[in-house]
Amino acid sequence: EHGISSNYVLSVSQDRKGFLWFATESGLNRFDGNKFKVYKKRDEQSSISSISGNELNRVYADKYEDIVWIATQREGLNMFDYKTETFTHYKYSKTDSLGIITNDITNITNAKDSNIWISTYYGGVEYFDKKKKEFIHYNRKTIPEMVSDNVWAVNEDNKGLLYIGHVASGLSILSLKDKKIKNFKHDPNNAESLPSNDVRTIFIDKNENVWIGTDNG
């Protein structure tokens, strides 16, 4: 009743102007401190740019540009330029090898070079070059030692390591320099192992500690 489009909020982010963004099960919301503005999918025949889907997983405000990235559950990746109020959609096409590999996006974060890392539920991890508008695929096809293409979360540290949180398959740490990968799983006989194989979130703090959030601590 306060103006937000849904009470089911999956993600929150703050952009460079201070606005708060909420990804919900029923559209994208922007909060300016007083009121909400709701962005929802319009009819395909509409001439006005709109979000590609209403069921969202993640919203992420770019650290380097006036852009908000939106991960939809089944309708691909959206880039929203909040200066021009326009959406750009990135969807899977089997004829485009440099396009996004799947439409189910689970997480988004900036790479250390200002580009974008994207995790997906069925296609592994994507690196998006913002200038070239091209996706580089990191999955079991390109990195055979990766344990699974089902990914909840991704993050990059300052040492060139990419942390990948899998759906029910543990944690992978990929060296971006030589493409070598280490996989970590829960061991019920080892109290110092990963607490669970369902890795939902990865956070790197200012001291370079890596925090792994699972469904068991």
Side-chain angles (χ1 to χ4, degrees), residues 151-171:
V151 182
W152 280 129
V154 63
N155 212 335
E156 181 187 354
D157 70 10
N158 289 319
K159 301 169 187 172
L161 297 177
L162 190 70
Y163 294 79
I164 302 165
H166 295 285
V167 179
S169 295
L171 174 75

Side-chain angles (χ1 to χ4, degrees), residues 12-35:
V12 183
S13 191
Q14 187 171 28
D15 68 27
R16 303 198 307 170
K17 292 184 176 180
F19 293 115
L20 289 171
W21 296 84
F22 299 83
T24 79
E25 281 276 0
S26 183
L28 176 69
N29 292 249
R30 187 190 75 179
F31 185 61
D32 63 7
N34 293 305
K35 61 184 183 299

Side-chain angles (χ1 to χ4, degrees), residues 4 10 34 37 49 54 59 69 82 88 91 102 105 127 133 140 147-149 153 155 171-172 176 179 184 188:
I4 197 168
L10 292 97
N34 293 305
K37 182 173 183 178
S49 169
N54 292 324
V59 59
W69 301 89
Y82 51 83
T88 302
K91 287 191 175 185
T102 181
I105 317 301
Y127 171 84
K133 308 295 184 188
R140 296 187 72 188
V147 292
S148 169
D149 285 338
N155 212 335
L171 174 75
S172 296
L176 294 170
K179 301 297 187 288
F184 298 85

Side-chain angles (χ1 to χ4, degrees), residues 136-216:
I136 298 172
H137 315 310
Y138 292 79
N139 53 38
R140 296 187 72 188
K141 187 174 181 180
T142 61
I143 303 169
E145 292 80 17
M146 196 190 296
V147 292
S148 169
D149 285 338
N150 310 115
V151 182
W152 280 129
V154 63
N155 212 335
E156 181 187 354
D157 70 10
N158 289 319
K159 301 169 187 172
L161 297 177
L162 190 70
Y163 294 79
I164 302 165
H166 295 285
V167 179
S169 295
L171 174 75
S172 296
I173 303 177
L174 174 69
S175 169
L176 294 170
K177 185 178 180 180
D178 57 18
K179 301 297 187 288
K180 290 183 179 179
I181 196 166
K182 290 183 179 180
N183 300 303
F184 298 85
K185 284 199 170 185
H186 171 65
D187 179 357
N189 298 314
N190 182 2
E192 294 184 354
S193 73
L194 202 65
S196 166
N197 288 324
D198 200 48
V199 177
R200 296 297 183 101
T201 187
I202 300 165
F203 178 76
I204 302 172
D205 68 24
K206 62 183 179 181
N207 296 317
E208 289 291 302
N209 298 306
V210 182
W211 297 85
I212 311 296
T214 77
D215 65 346
N216 191 38

